[in-house]
Amino acid sequence: MRTHHDPRGLPITGLNPAQIERYERLLHELYAYRSGVQARLDDLLREAPGFVLGHVLRGYAVMTDGLRSGLPEAQRFLDLSQRLAATANERERLHIYALKMWIEGRGAARLQALEDILARWPLDVLAYRQLTAMLFWHGDKRRQLAVAMQAIPHWQPSTAGYALTLAPLAFALEEDGRYALAEDYAQLALSFNPTDLWALHALVHVHEMQGRASEGEAAINAVAGKLKEFNLFRGHLWWHLSLFLLSQNKIDAVLDVFDREVFPTPSSFYLDLQNAASLLARLEIQGVDVGDRWDTVAHACEQTLGQHLVVFTGPHQVMALARTGRKQALAQALQGFNDDGQAGMEQAQTGSAVAAAVALYYQRAYRPFLNLMRVMRFEAASLGASYAQQDIYFQLMVDAALQVDDLPLARSLLKERLAKHFTDATEWLRYIDMTHRIEQAHDPKVLRGFLRAGLLQQPPAC
Ligand SMILES: [Fe+2]
């Protein structure tokens, strides 16, 4: 069969030009988080079973679900792609290898394989999007930005798929604290596609970090009516909306969004569990009665104990299990994380230690929790996720310090929490002003208000 090329000139094994056009549309839908992409990819694979990268991409998709129970299915797609390896080109064989490394839990080798692809074929948008997404959960923000920065000069606005490169760059810049540039790239991506959810996500992270809650709320509300057309990532945008509402003290609205969109039905999807547990924890720290919502989340956690491969999920499962007094499930979860660490699973030792600390918080052992968590508070970032998500560690630490009446420690942690989020002279002045306000606060309720407020934002009245 004659080999045809994608719109960027890269050879694609197993597809004719019309099918390559469909694949190109699928990539745009996939990385905008549209629903139904995998079914359409399956249709394409039925028509073109020799489409090597299609089998690899299905394997990537199964692994993205982050469940051990998905490993046999991912292996099936790996086997299908390996059977075609003799017909594949060198770039496609590196993708097969990257999938193999992912299934075997060898994250460092997986990342390096994708970097090798980009070093030689910088217009491989599949490698670029996979790599930048994977680095998110590896907690390596510098490398995430480095990958985006080394790839981006190879792309021109006239290059097919140019818009697909912008959102990862915007997000990497945001996590690096370069908020103005991040916002520019996010807006540029949204000018190509107003429902590019990863670009919108980068934009609302800028809003979150800069305390622009009403702007973030408006940005998400602008697409809210369309979010049902997107995959489960949409729940994370609802989570962001909840944070904006919480920082404006709109508690009823937060609970409503939780019930309708963040955790409307029991879900074992790792991001849903993270969003739900993290939001309930934040609400309770603000003294909000969340009713029996923890039970729903804890029950969902029990259904997939020992299944989650995204290590950042573990501490969130523990939050729900410990908070609801599920002692047996909690012990089982902690033992499982410990076993993963002993077995040498990447990130698992740190994940296990953080999970054990979080359990102490919910067992009201606040001082032991602080003793453990304070030592690990920077190392915990290696479990991945964004600064906004990792803030849960600070939320719990500040609350624990207040629970044991250690106001100096609470103030210190609050200042530290803000310290990395200024980038220019104006923000520096706001940072100094905020630290003075924190120093002058003596009421625990006021100090908790700083947790509720967006970073570098004056907390609203309680
Ligand atoms: Fe986020």
Side-chain angles (χ1 to χ4, degrees):
M1 184 179 176
R2 190 178 150 207
T3 299
H4 299 280
H5 295 75
D6 76 5
R8 291 162 292 282
L10 298 174
I12 302 286
T13 302
L15 293 185
N16 63 37
Q19 291 166 334
I20 287 177
E21 275 185 35
R22 283 168 63 189
Y23 172 52
E24 190 71 7
R25 280 200 299 276
L26 281 177
L27 285 177
H28 279 80
E29 291 170 355
L30 176 67
Y31 292 118
Y33 301 90
R34 285 267 169 193
S35 294
V37 176
Q38 301 311 322
R40 289 193 283 284
L41 179 55
D42 285 341
D43 290 342
L44 184 56
L45 280 167
R46 267 190 290 277
E47 285 177 37
F51 176 26
V52 179
L53 276 184
H55 295 294
V56 174
L57 181 51
R58 282 297 280 117
Y60 285 162
V62 174
M63 292 305 294
T64 300
D65 289 340
L67 290 171
R68 280 195 170 95
S69 56
L71 289 173
E73 179 76 345
Q75 182 66 45
R76 190 172 72 79
F77 287 114
L78 175 62
D79 292 344
L80 285 167
S81 62
Q82 284 180 320
R83 270 182 231 140
L84 295 166
T87 68
N89 59 51
E90 195 176 353
R91 183 176 60 90
E92 290 165 338
R93 282 197 291 273
L94 273 169
H95 272 288
I96 296 172
Y97 177 74
L99 174 59
K100 183 172 188 288
M101 293 301 96
W102 196 351
I103 292 170
E104 293 179 4
R106 296 165 62 186
R110 169 177 58 134
L111 296 171
Q112 199 160 311
L114 291 168
E115 282 189 340
D116 287 345
I117 293 173
L118 284 177
R120 295 177 62 187
W121 299 282
L123 299 184
D124 185 324
V125 71
L126 176 62
Y128 173 77
R129 293 298 300 239
Q130 286 295 321
L131 180 55
T132 49
M134 289 169 183
L135 285 166
F136 177 86
W137 291 115
H138 276 258
D140 198 338
K141 297 177 192 299
R142 282 181 304 176
R143 193 170 173 185
Q144 195 177 24
L145 181 58
V147 165
M149 291 296 285
Q150 73 86 19
I152 212 75
H154 297 276
W155 292 77
Q156 305 299 323
S158 58
T159 310
Y162 172 69
L164 291 173
T165 65
L166 301 173
L169 176 62
F171 186 78
L173 286 165
E174 180 279 324
E175 289 294 293
D176 197 53
R178 304 189 207 191
Y179 300 125
L181 205 48
E183 185 167 358
D184 287 346
Y185 274 104
Q187 295 286 14
L188 181 59
L190 290 166
S191 72
F192 286 98
N193 175 7
T195 53
D196 177 338
L197 288 202
W198 193 239
L200 177 62
H201 180 247
L203 179 64
V204 299
H205 265 271
V206 172
H207 294 149
E208 175 68 27
M209 289 299 113
Q210 294 191 320
R212 295 157 59 188
S214 57
E215 284 179 77
E217 181 185 353
I220 295 175
N221 279 334
V223 299
K226 297 178 181 171
L227 284 180
K228 284 261 183 286
E229 300 164 21
F230 294 82
N231 69 22
L232 289 178
F233 177 69
R234 66 181 183 265
H236 185 65
L237 283 171
W238 289 115
W239 178 79
H240 274 284
L241 177 64
S242 303
L243 296 195
F244 293 133
L245 295 169
L246 179 58
S247 73
Q248 296 172 82
N249 213 19
K250 299 176 180 176
I251 303 301
D252 289 344
V254 177
L255 292 172
D256 183 52
V257 172
F258 182 95
D259 293 338
R260 282 191 299 107
E261 307 290 357
V262 174
F263 211 72
T265 53
S267 166
S268 58
F269 179 47
Y270 66 86
L271 203 49
D272 286 342
L273 295 176
Q274 295 171 13
N275 295 335
S278 175
L279 183 53
L280 291 181
R282 289 162 190 253
L283 284 164
E284 288 198 320
I285 286 168
Q286 297 304 322
V288 176
D289 180 354
V290 299
D292 59 1
R293 292 177 177 84
W294 275 115
D295 279 313
T296 313
V297 179
H299 182 69
C301 289
E302 284 182 310
Q303 304 306 304
T304 48
L305 269 192
Q307 282 293 320
H308 289 284
L309 296 170
V310 176
V311 178
F312 186 68
T313 314
H316 295 80
Q317 289 176 289
V318 161
M319 288 160 67
L321 297 174
R323 172 65 181 78
T324 55
R326 286 166 157 80
K327 289 182 182 170
Q328 192 178 343
L330 175 63
Q332 191 183 335
L334 293 174
Q335 185 61 51
F337 301 145
N338 188 54
D339 291 346
D340 287 341
Q342 296 294 320
M345 179 178 162
E346 290 176 355
Q347 301 173 296
Q349 281 196 351
T350 302
S352 175
V354 172
V358 167
L360 290 172
Y361 171 88
Y362 279 101
Q363 290 160 344
R364 299 178 183 276
Y366 297 118
R367 191 56 83 178
F369 161 72
L370 283 166
N371 290 341
L372 286 176
M373 198 66 230
R374 287 171 67 192
V375 172
M376 292 186 295
R377 68 189 191 274
F378 296 114
E379 187 187 344
S382 68
L383 302 184
S386 64
Y387 280 123
Q389 289 166 295
Q390 292 165 359
D391 190 44
I392 192 63
Y393 306 133
F394 275 87
Q395 297 266 336
L396 297 179
M397 282 190 290
V398 170
D399 185 64
L402 294 173
Q403 294 283 357
V404 295
D405 296 323
D406 192 341
L407 268 59
L409 176 59
R411 291 193 196 99
S412 175
L413 289 165
L414 281 169
K415 288 182 288 183
E416 186 181 297
R417 173 175 172 264
L418 299 180
K420 57 181 173 283
H421 300 288
F422 63 87
T423 51
D424 59 26
T426 304
E427 285 180 351
W428 169 253
L429 292 174
R430 290 175 69 191
Y431 170 66
I432 296 298
D433 179 58
M434 287 286 278
T435 60
H436 288 319
R437 291 175 190 276
I438 290 167
E439 277 304 315
Q440 289 159 9
H442 299 281
D443 182 344
K445 197 169 183 181
V446 172
L447 287 166
R448 285 191 178 90
F450 285 97
L451 291 175
R452 186 176 75 247
L455 295 160
L456 299 185
Q457 178 193 28
Q458 178 67 14
C462 298

